[in-house]
Amino acid sequence: MDALGHGLPLPLNRQSLDLATGPLVNFGGASAAYSLRDLNGRNPMVVRVRREGDNAERDFNQDTINSGDMVRWVNEGDENYVGYARFQNTATSNVDLTSSFKLEATNNWSIKFGYISGSTPAGLFGLSGNGNTGFWFGNSFSVGITDDNGFFSALNFSTAASLKISKHQEIEFFNTPAEGVRVKVDGITMSGSPIIYGDITLDRVGVSRGRNGNRVIENVRIDLNGDGTLDYSYAGDGNQASNWTDRVGSNNGTPTAEVLTYNNEFKAGYVETWYDQSGNGNDATQLTASLQPRIVDGNALVAGGIDFLTSQSFDANISVTRSHLFSVFRSPNVVTSSSAVHLIDNEQSFETVHFLLQTPTKYVRYLGLSYTQDVVSMNTDGTDNLVSALNQTAVQGGSSLHINGSPMTIATTDSDGSMVINTIGSSIWSNTLNQVMAELIIYNSDQSANRLAIEANINNQYDIY
Amino acid sequence: MLYLIYETKEAAIDRADEEGKYLGFDYWLEDNGKGTRWLTYPAETIDHKWALDVTDYELDSQEEADVVHSYTPLPQPPEAE
């Protein structure tokens, strides 16, 4: 118990008054509890997020979500390069130099440049008239190099130094005579063996071997003989000829038509783990990227919670016997006969489907291959719904369903009394939630006596009804 | 959509693991068993093989020759109407 008395149940006549803290503070004992807010008063981590692009992951709590830190982290890395030359991955998206230059195999040459990667393959430096010569990234950890004799070999620089999509990185290709070419990324030199190439003649930026440039190549610095003095240098801080003037000589560059300007392309963030705040460690996880619900879209949080809109789901492992569920999810604003509002399920067997709203008007519970179906009503205008569903057998006292505080009339034939909830957001029946969910609290007990207070707490947070 | 069909689930997961490593997912970078592991996960076909969605995978030439554009999933149980 803390100084505010959190941790002890409140008398029933005071429960509805304590709205500022999460419901688990006063109504602990949940089997699992998921939200983007602090439900237990301990400011726990609530989600683990994977960001699009470099696939990095990080944990966030309520405060770092509300402060905007999570959205900034998802989109970090390239804000400083807005307005720089943006290679559009087209055949007319490169910079032509006035004259060619040769990287001689017998010299200690180097090419250094700043880079923001998009998709691969991506052209880097090439030669007009001989489309094969030059450098291009084949994937996030290899560069294809073709010399003047047509010798081609991919140079792998390992995943440890791999390119991170949408993140600015410092790249260096450098040659040591009799050893060969190596790659350095953000100061990390490849650990594998270099490859010996012949002379390489270049006169273009942003294309090689038919691979076009993609995103940003800037601050290009070329040293032909390893003497520490640059022979050619280009800012690349825009798409005008003035941005590609040779800063040390007269070998100027001319951008072609589709070298545009970079505009800090926003990325999405996806939830890998929705942390259980009940203290039972029943975290909901999704190890498969294509099935992860979205939490950041562009430069903003998803409105209303976590986005399951295109068949995403979490895996879980929550044992219950007589469960009482409180969930908040955004109602569909387009309702069709086939739409499914599906919450939780034991997907890995054909046992009881625990809680299924199939379309906003049907509440369905399965027992084996048979099911009970009731007509219910809920918001269908894109606003939130709060569902309180008590499932227990008739022997244990029957079930109840409340939507937005109103009791629904449902049959009393119920679940088999025990099950493991394996899935949140989809089912073995191929139903998927296809909605935005804000909160889900699962008690392995009848919370009828606390329902009004828990609903009041949730409603106070989300202003549902 | 592009799919590769495998005889066993294990073989399909091996290929999904390979792609997950290639993409640098967190599971393969951190030695803690946490984090994203796969881009896609195999699904069982009607003839009890395993279909892996490889639409966004980097495929080698043999895999490009082997891809199929659809498969028949396991039949689902009847659903409430």
Side-chain angles (χ1 to χ4, degrees), chain A residues 48 50 55 57 59 139-141 272 275 287-290 292 350 358 362 364 366 369 371 373 428-431, chain B residues 21-27 29-30 32-41 58 75-81:
Chain A
R48 182 176 184 83
R50 177 183 63 87
N55 292 314
E57 295 186 9
D59 292 334
N139 55 46
S140 62
F141 52 87
E272 190 276 335
Y275 286 112
L287 302 184
T288 303
S290 61
Q292 289 171 343
F350 290 100
Q358 185 183 0
K362 285 192 285 187
V364 183
Y366 286 88
L369 297 180
Y371 58 84
Q373 177 174 301
I428 199 167
W429 312 88
S430 297
N431 297 112
Chain B
K21 292 176 189 173
Y22 169 77
L23 293 170
F25 284 143
D26 205 59
Y27 179 90
L29 301 179
E30 304 289 340
N32 57 13
K34 293 178 65 176
T36 306
R37 178 172 175 175
W38 304 290
L39 176 60
T40 60
Y41 191 78
E58 189 91 8
Q76 298 297 308
E79 188 179 338
E81 298 177 354

Side-chain angles (χ1 to χ4, degrees), chain A residues 59-71:
Chain A
D59 292 334
F60 293 92
N61 60 17
Q62 168 187 271
D63 292 346
T64 50
I65 292 174
N66 292 341
S67 68
D69 284 354
M70 184 173 70
V71 173

Side-chain angles (χ1 to χ4, degrees), chain A residues 44-329:
Chain A
M45 294 299 172
V46 295
V47 284
R48 182 176 184 83
V49 174
R50 177 183 63 87
R51 68 181 172 197
E52 186 182 36
D54 65 1
N55 292 314
E57 295 186 9
R58 182 179 292 184
D59 292 334
F60 293 92
N61 60 17
Q62 168 187 271
D63 292 346
T64 50
I65 292 174
N66 292 341
S67 68
D69 284 354
M70 184 173 70
V71 173
R72 281 189 289 275
W73 175 78
V74 166
N75 286 295
E76 78 175 9
D78 48 14
E79 298 89 346
N80 295 330
Y81 298 91
V82 171
Y84 277 50
R86 205 289 189 195
F87 295 85
Q88 289 296 111
N89 195 18
T90 67
T92 58
S93 176
N94 58 277
V95 174
D96 295 327
L97 305 182
T98 305
S99 58
S100 64
F101 60 87
K102 183 177 292 185
L103 304 172
E104 297 183 4
T106 55
N107 280 347
N108 288 289
W109 56 258
S110 69
I111 299 179
K112 301 176 183 178
F113 57 103
Y115 189 65
I116 297 175
S117 61
S119 61
T120 53
L124 298 169
F125 307 100
L127 177 65
S128 57
N130 184 349
N132 287 343
T133 301
F135 301 78
W136 51 280
F137 283 128
N139 55 46
S140 62
F141 52 87
S142 79
V143 57
I145 303 176
T146 306
D147 66 20
D148 290 351
N149 296 318
F151 169 70
F152 165 80
S153 184
L155 181 58
N156 290 325
F157 48 93
S158 85
T159 54
S162 63
L163 303 176
K164 311 300 182 189
I165 294 176
S166 295
K167 180 184 178 184
H168 184 272
Q169 294 178 289
E170 283 292 329
I171 313 292
E172 180 178 357
F173 304 144
F174 62 99
N175 182 62
T176 304
E179 293 185 8
V181 177
R182 291 180 171 86
V183 179
K184 183 186 292 186
V185 179
D186 286 338
I188 301 174
T189 302
M190 56 182 278
S191 57
S193 300
I195 294 177
I196 295 175
Y197 298 87
D199 297 346
I200 303 169
T201 302
L202 306 171
D203 67 1
R204 294 199 297 179
V205 179
V207 62
S208 174
R209 205 180 177 99
R211 275 74 173 179
N212 299 306
N214 196 343
R215 301 206 183 174
V216 173
I217 302 170
E218 58 88 32
N219 195 20
V220 180
R221 292 145 286 160
I222 299 164
D223 179 355
L224 296 177
N225 54 16
D227 63 359
T229 301
L230 296 180
D231 296 282
Y232 307 104
S233 177
Y234 307 93
D237 54 354
N239 68 341
Q240 302 300 304
S242 59
N243 302 113
W244 290 89
T245 300
D246 186 356
R247 295 182 291 194
V248 298
S250 57
N251 192 8
N252 297 328
T254 302
T256 56
E258 291 194 74
V259 179
L260 305 181
T261 54
Y262 189 66
N263 192 30
N264 188 23
E265 289 143 57
F266 294 117
K267 298 180 283 292
Y270 300 91
V271 180
E272 190 276 335
T273 301
W274 205 1
Y275 286 112
D276 173 20
Q277 299 185 43
S278 73
N280 293 311
N282 286 323
D283 300 333
T285 61
Q286 181 49 267
L287 302 184
T288 303
S290 61
L291 298 176
Q292 289 171 343
R294 187 171 41 179
I295 189 170
V296 174
D297 186 13
N299 198 29
L301 285 172
V302 169
I306 293 176
D307 176 355
F308 292 72
L309 288 174
T310 52
S311 306
Q312 289 80 14
S313 64
F314 288 114
D315 295 329
N317 186 19
I318 308 163
S319 297
V320 292
T321 51
R322 61 175 89 177
S323 64
H324 200 149
L325 308 139
F326 296 86
S327 60
V328 177
F329 58 92

